[in-house]
Amino acid sequence: MDSATKGAEVGHEEHHDEAHDQNYLQYEPGIWNWLTTKDHKKIGIMYAVSLAVVFLVAGVLALMVRTELVSQGETIMDADTYNQVFTMHGILMVFLFLVPSIPAILGNFVLPLQIGAKDVAFPRLNLASWYVYMIGAIMTCAALYFGGVDTGWTFYTPYSSTTGGGVLWMTSAIFVSGFASIFTGLNFIVTIHKMRAPGMTWNRLPLFIWGLYATSIVQVLATPVIGITMLLLILERTLGIGIFDPALGGDPVLFQHFFWFYSHPAVYIMILPAFGIMSELIATFSRQRIFGYRAIALSSVAIAMLGFLVWGHHMFVSGQSAISSIIFSLITYLIGIPSGIKVFNWVATMYRGSIWLQTPMLYALSFLFLFTIGGFTGIMVGVLAVDVHLHDTYYVVGHFHYVMMGGSVMALLGGMHYWWPKITGRMYNETLGKIAVFLIFVGFNATFFTQLVLGAKGMPRRYYDYVERFEALHQISTYGSYILGAGLFLVLFYGLYSLFYGEKASANPWAAATLEWTNVAALPDPHNFVRTPLVTRGPYDFHLADEVFGGDGMGDGATKTLDVPEPAPAAPETAEESSKA
Ligand code: HEM
Ligand SMILES: [Cu+2]
């Protein structure tokens, strides 16, 4: 850790408040108190632990898929097992990991802190969200017990309405866990509208909040559709009502419409909060006011809206009419505009900034690079004629991993590193952090860029075996995935290590300007703010934040509040950081 961080820590000791001598982790300890807590910070941590387990399991499944594909023919499992393994990987990653991930972990922890609130609007509903999620997760295990699922994560009918008992459990699990998502979205919308601190106008909202706001709208509007779709599938299976199964007079393509009417917006549930994290990281680690604040904020909302109009691009070859395909293709291009606006604004924010290459910023830069490839390949499969060739090939697998893993997971990792000191009160090891980013970045590209090439050459997706000419590329992809896995395990390792042996963090180790850093103790108070903050500046006005802290931005927490307007004592100067400011 650098000297600047230590300097700020001294400032914190001086400002110790006797009335609040317990931080949120010391307050009400014990397993029972945790399981009944209404503290948004603790619920965020409970979600983090649950999601880490899911990510680990789904990640191991991915490595099994890759290992099977390292050579032609049977390598470690038979074809039926293979189908189940990649299906479980997809279902767990999408429905039980990536959809909840950023909002449920970092949204929960950070949102009230960033807007100056004591908690979310409905703390009990927040806890209920975690329980509902856990019930969904347990039902997923039940699905494995009752025969497993091999339909792919998309559950296309008529296969899914006619096979294996596990499908019933799995679709029910997704029905149930959808409510967790709706609860979170509802909670965030009301919290953002109603619980902002005085002075926190819409134009002063950190962009992470705008990202979460746009996400919440999609969660509330789109999730019921997947719920109903799963319910209809369940009704068809249990009561024999013909909805999707042609044998019963149903229409299997109707399922695809319903499914993608949710699942395309759902990819924005996964990426919009990631955009929000990106804006925080890029601004803080470039020490620049964000370029085009309004454009970034409103483009999130625009993407959320447009996201509802493009589902047909998943069905170009499912027999939908040519005119609908053309319209869906056109609207799909439109999404490139607000996404491009964001990428350009982030780059413009970095331009002439004092860029500080700490681990969170390295994740942000990885995101910029990988998400751009993801978005660009997305436009390519959005082109009607091109997609006829690429549909259901490894190209699509490469594309969505660039977006979901290269985008959302990179942002999640960047955000976890960024807020780690605030969550745990400890610093992670910066050197190991950088080594891990490097492994992840290299491993990721080796794994997934080869898949783009494989797909363009005609390797179909979801296949157990392949012809000889694909073998070399499959091998690179598999060895790449081991490097990627090693990087992720390294993160897990030094994360756990830092919980016990990490250096104590200061209140604001990154010299950031948003409230969770400037007005909250190193480890937050159980009720977040000792005094309600009075917001007098924007989230990226680093120079104004610096004035309040006495010049170097290394403030100790308690600054401007409603009843104590005087600035906090200056933290000791450090040459390196004050020159950056
Ligand atoms: C350790 C990193 C990962 C590796 C090596 C990996 C690898 C794979 C492989 C080999 C497939 C099978 C493709 C096929 O046969 O069609 C697959 C499918 C899939 N993966 Fe990943 N993956 C990883 C991480 C993720 C992440 C973070 C997500 C995010 C949500 C994700 C979402 C999916 C989805 C949705 C599918 C499609 C499943 C299906 O077609 O039914 N993966 N992945
Ligand atoms: Cu889509």
Side-chain angles (χ1 to χ4, degrees):
M1 188 168 54
D2 56 38
S3 56
T5 319
K6 291 204 192 88
E9 198 180 326
V10 175
H12 177 66
E13 295 312 333
E14 284 169 6
H15 221 68
H16 198 69
D17 191 325
E18 291 304 328
H20 293 264
D21 48 6
Q22 277 190 326
N23 64 50
Y24 83 104
L25 289 175
Q26 292 162 335
Y27 183 70
E28 299 189 333
I31 187 85
W32 179 248
N33 280 328
W34 271 81
L35 289 176
T36 54
T37 185
K38 277 161 240 100
D39 182 343
H40 65 97
K41 302 183 285 303
K42 290 187 173 171
I43 295 171
I45 292 177
M46 281 151 66
Y47 254 122
V49 174
S50 321
L51 294 181
V53 173
V54 172
F55 189 65
L56 190 71
V57 174
V60 169
L61 291 172
L63 293 177
M64 285 166 66
V65 171
R66 276 319 321 161
T67 304
E68 172 53 43
L69 293 175
V70 76
S71 60
Q72 284 178 276
E74 182 170 329
T75 312
I76 55 165
M77 61 182 109
D78 60 42
D80 283 334
T81 315
Y82 176 84
N83 289 346
Q84 293 205 2
V85 170
F86 83 71
T87 298
M88 277 312 289
H89 163 74
I91 292 174
L92 290 179
M93 282 295 188
V94 171
F95 293 109
L96 290 182
F97 174 71
L98 212 50
V99 164
S101 64
I102 296 177
I105 302 173
L106 290 171
N108 258 328
F109 192 93
V110 175
L111 184 140
L113 294 173
Q114 270 197 338
I115 64 172
K118 284 197 173 120
D119 206 311
V120 291
F122 309 116
R124 280 191 179 78
L125 192 66
N126 204 14
L127 183 62
S129 162
W130 183 77
Y131 275 100
V132 170
Y133 171 84
M134 291 306 286
I135 294 172
I138 292 168
M139 290 170 74
T140 306
C141 300
L144 287 182
Y145 180 77
F146 290 106
V149 188
D150 63 356
T151 57
W153 72 282
T154 47
F155 302 107
Y156 273 14
T157 51
Y159 187 58
S160 61
S161 51
T162 49
T163 55
V167 176
L168 199 56
W169 278 95
M170 189 59 81
T171 44
S172 311
I174 286 164
F175 177 79
V176 169
S177 63
F179 284 95
S181 194
I182 295 173
F183 289 175
T184 303
L186 205 62
N187 223 333
F188 285 1
I189 292 176
V190 178
T191 308
I192 294 169
H193 271 275
K194 290 304 207 189
M195 314 248 315
R196 284 170 287 131
M200 180 59 85
T201 58
W202 286 88
N203 285 329
R204 288 182 182 155
L205 278 184
L207 286 166
F208 183 44
I209 303 295
W210 273 104
L212 288 172
Y213 185 67
T215 309
S216 303
I217 294 174
V218 184
Q219 281 179 309
V220 170
L221 292 182
T223 315
V225 179
I226 190 77
I228 291 163
T229 311
M230 293 297 139
L231 200 60
L232 288 175
L233 195 61
I234 294 165
L235 288 180
E236 179 169 271
R237 286 189 64 114
T238 51
L239 303 179
I241 303 171
I243 299 160
F244 306 121
D245 186 353
L248 299 169
D251 178 1
V253 178
L254 180 66
F255 178 87
Q256 297 186 23
H257 279 289
F258 282 171
F259 182 84
W260 289 111
F261 188 82
Y262 163 77
S263 290
H264 191 86
V267 308
Y268 296 110
I269 297 179
M270 306 178 213
I271 200 73
L272 286 169
F275 289 159
I277 292 182
M278 276 296 285
S279 299
E280 301 299 318
L281 298 183
I282 297 271
T284 301
F285 290 94
S286 306
R287 292 206 69 66
Q288 291 256 70
R289 197 186 288 195
I290 199 98
F291 185 89
Y293 172 90
R294 239 170 239 230
I296 296 187
L298 296 181
S299 60
S300 288
V301 182
I303 292 174
M305 300 298 158
L306 275 178
F308 282 97
L309 306 176
V310 297
W311 78 92
H313 64 206
H314 296 277
M315 300 168 62
F316 288 155
V317 296
S318 300
Q320 86 191 343
S321 78
I323 186 75
S324 347
S325 284
I326 291 168
I327 292 170
F328 279 125
S329 181
L330 267 176
I331 305 176
T332 301
Y333 300 167
L334 289 185
I335 296 217
I337 298 172
S339 315
I341 287 177
K342 282 180 191 292
V343 171
F344 281 118
N345 280 323
W346 291 324
V347 174
T349 304
M350 288 192 292
Y351 180 64
R352 293 194 158 184
S354 353
I355 293 171
W356 192 19
L357 289 178
Q358 296 296 88
T359 306
M361 184 60 167
L362 294 176
Y363 279 111
L365 294 177
S366 305
F367 176 105
L368 210 55
F369 187 82
L370 302 176
F371 173 75
T372 304
I373 296 182
F376 193 67
T377 52
I379 304 264
M380 286 161 80
V381 286
V383 177
L384 202 43
V386 178
D387 188 61
V388 172
H389 174 65
L390 294 177
H391 183 77
D392 265 344
T393 68
Y394 251 84
Y395 192 88
V396 173
V397 180
H399 153 67
F400 67 65
H401 281 95
Y402 266 92
V403 180
M404 297 202 284
M405 185 153 201
S408 309
V409 176
M410 290 299 147
L412 174 67
L413 286 170
M416 284 306 288
H417 284 79
Y418 178 61
W419 281 295
W420 189 257
K422 189 61 57 185
I423 298 173
T424 66
R426 305 266 182 179
M427 298 305 288
Y428 59 87
N429 183 308
E430 191 57 50
T431 312
L432 291 179
K434 284 178 176 144
I435 295 173
V437 183
F438 178 77
L439 290 175
I440 291 173
F441 186 81
V442 171
F444 177 87
N445 283 297
T447 309
F448 294 109
F449 198 82
T450 42
Q451 297 189 358
L452 293 174
V453 180
L454 275 169
K457 284 176 182 285
M459 170 74 208
R461 113 188 234 205
R462 297 177 174 173
Y463 272 36
Y464 170 68
D465 203 359
Y466 47 81
V467 291
E468 163 125 50
R469 67 194 165 96
F470 294 132
E471 194 159 40
L473 284 167
H474 268 301
Q475 281 170 353
I476 299 175
S477 180
T478 299
Y479 296 132
S481 74
Y482 296 159
I483 300 175
L484 177 57
L488 289 168
F489 268 108
L490 183 58
V491 175
L492 183 69
F493 163 76
Y494 69 71
L496 290 177
Y497 181 88
S498 91
L499 286 182
F500 302 100
Y501 307 107
E503 240 175 301
K504 282 228 161 38
S506 67
N508 190 1
W510 315 118
T514 39
L515 294 183
E516 82 276 27
W517 300 109
T518 58
N519 285 46
V520 173
L523 264 174
D525 184 85
H527 300 293
N528 297 350
F529 299 92
V530 180
R531 300 170 206 90
T532 305
L534 175 63
V535 182
T536 54
R537 55 173 173 79
Y540 310 111
D541 288 337
F542 293 101
H543 61 293
L544 293 181
D546 290 351
E547 268 164 36
V548 177
F549 300 130
D552 65 352
M554 295 290 160
D556 72 323
T559 58
K560 284 204 169 174
T561 60
L562 270 184
D563 43 351
V564 183
E566 82 276 9
E573 284 273 332
T574 57
E576 189 204 334
E577 280 322 299
S578 51
S579 64
K580 276 190 200 305

